[in-house]
Amino acid sequence: MQLAMINDKIMAMEDVDSAYLDRGLFFGDGVYEVLRSYNGKIFALDDHFTRFANSLKAIEITSVDVADIRSKVLKAFDKAAIANAKIYFHITRGSGVRDHLPKADLKPNFFLTISELKDNPKLKNEGVAVSTYPDIRWKRCDIKSLNLLPNVLAKGDADKKGAWEAVFVNDDGLITEGSSSAFFGIVKGKLRTSPLKANILPSITRKYVELAANNIGLPTAEKSLTPKEAQVADELFLAVTTKDIIPVVKFDGQPIADAKPGKWTKLLIEEFKKFIA
Ligand code: PLP
């Protein structure tokens, strides 16, 4: 007999709910997406599904029909009837007895949540502090995988330091991205951010920030910043689906310029609103 124990309850393996045997739980063997809606309309739906399809392909989950997942997401969004919603969903390779080598006939598991996204104007109006954390992640951060332990540790470290977000610094001394956001600086009249390589997530918000920068005549250079450069940058900000653009006013305890959201950042926030409309 194979036996299992869940908290204090001992049971036969056959009686274990398959959710406990999900490879997402054992190995982080799955990929996810986070989307948001503004006033009843999902933002950048196609971009998110293209990235999701890329993530699935990268980890060789081949039996999922992305069009079917898209219908599921739209159906749930309709049913939730939340105008400003955060939509989280993931696909794992499936449930089964713990073995690194997955059985060929596993059925992928789908899980979704939708919740209301409350606006937090304070973040945008006053900006946030960030702190650095070593980028101890794997070499395929372009895949939106469920393995987020380094991100969780980084965020916890930032919180202990009184910062809102952690930014990863890699072994070459370069800032890659935030624990759950893209990272930008404005240095000598140029927007700077890390180039899109396997070491960062291809952030959807980043794409629209770059479009907005182009629209307002702010040149972009895809070149990572060092922490030293960040500390003396004219402006810094973060970008993420659930919050779009958030000014950064403190970096590792050092105020950025006058410690207020910068003029380009504010212009980008305004320009970004046009994409939402
Ligand atoms: N980088 C990381 C590591 C993230 O987890 C996220 C979002 O969660 C982002 C960047 C921003 O991506 P997006 O703009 O697609 O939300």
Side-chain angles (χ1 to χ4, degrees):
M1 171 196 168
Q2 281 201 51
L3 181 144
M5 188 168 182
I6 300 173
N7 296 321
D8 292 327
K9 197 168 168 216
I10 292 180
M11 65 196 76
M13 199 64 159
E14 308 86 82
D15 297 334
V16 174
D17 189 301
S18 70
Y20 286 102
L21 305 177
D22 193 314
R23 294 182 62 87
L25 199 55
F26 286 140
F27 305 111
D29 190 358
V31 291
Y32 75 105
E33 269 302 325
V34 178
L35 301 86
R36 73 154 299 164
S37 66
Y38 292 95
N39 305 318
K41 189 163 188 300
I42 299 176
F43 183 71
L45 184 67
D46 288 345
D47 293 299
H48 283 280
F49 273 94
T50 301
R51 183 171 69 184
F52 183 60
N54 290 340
S55 295
L56 281 173
K57 190 163 174 239
I59 70 162
E60 297 176 17
I61 294 183
T62 51
S63 59
V64 170
D65 179 356
V66 175
D68 173 52
I69 301 298
R70 190 178 165 123
S71 321
K72 278 192 167 72
V73 169
L74 293 179
K75 189 172 156 197
F77 176 62
D78 240 28
K79 174 106 180 157
I82 300 172
N84 294 301
K86 172 181 174 174
I87 304 164
Y88 168 88
F89 69 88
H90 71 220
I91 287 274
T92 70
R93 203 177 301 279
S95 297
V97 173
R98 187 179 182 279
D99 187 344
H100 285 63
L101 185 66
K103 288 228 160 53
D105 59 352
L106 283 186
K107 193 173 160 292
N109 288 326
F110 173 74
F111 178 74
L112 168 147
T113 61
I114 301 186
S115 49
E116 189 171 1
L117 253 185
K118 296 236 162 56
D119 222 18
N120 186 349
K122 198 165 171 249
L123 289 183
K124 274 204 172 51
N125 296 339
E126 295 177 17
V128 299
V130 301
S131 57
T132 51
Y133 193 83
D135 199 341
I136 54 174
R137 300 174 301 164
W138 71 329
K139 292 179 179 164
R140 290 302 309 274
C141 297
D142 56 324
I143 302 170
K144 205 161 167 61
S145 107
L146 293 174
N147 290 282
L148 292 172
L149 189 53
N151 310 57
V152 168
L153 295 177
K155 192 86 171 185
D157 179 73
D159 189 58
K160 276 190 216 134
K161 293 171 175 163
W164 187 82
E165 171 66 309
V167 293
F168 286 119
V169 178
N170 70 14
D171 291 347
D172 298 326
L174 298 172
I175 295 169
T176 50
E177 60 184 334
S179 76
S180 59
S181 58
F183 181 78
F184 293 82
I186 292 162
V187 181
K188 296 187 183 120
K190 268 201 183 134
L191 180 66
R192 292 262 305 272
T193 195
S194 298
L196 272 191
K197 291 197 208 139
N199 66 343
I200 62 165
L201 183 78
S203 152
I204 309 294
T205 322
R206 172 193 195 274
K207 172 182 155 181
Y208 287 92
V209 165
E210 290 191 343
L211 285 172
N214 190 46
N215 290 352
I216 61 172
L218 174 63
T220 302
E222 294 198 344
K223 185 168 180 264
S224 306
L225 287 98
T226 63
K228 264 195 180 150
E229 283 179 307
Q231 284 194 325
V232 296
D234 300 330
E235 303 179 26
L236 299 176
F237 65 88
L238 303 165
V240 54
T241 292
T242 48
K243 311 221 163 31
D244 54 78
I245 297 169
I246 309 160
V248 170
V249 294
K250 227 186 218 183
F251 186 99
D252 271 348
Q254 178 83 23
I256 301 306
D258 61 357
K260 293 199 178 105
K263 70 167 199 268
W264 283 112
T265 307
K266 287 197 261 187
L267 282 172
L268 286 168
I269 289 172
E270 285 312 303
E271 190 63 27
F272 196 95
K273 285 185 187 154
K274 296 184 187 163
F275 301 129
I276 298 164

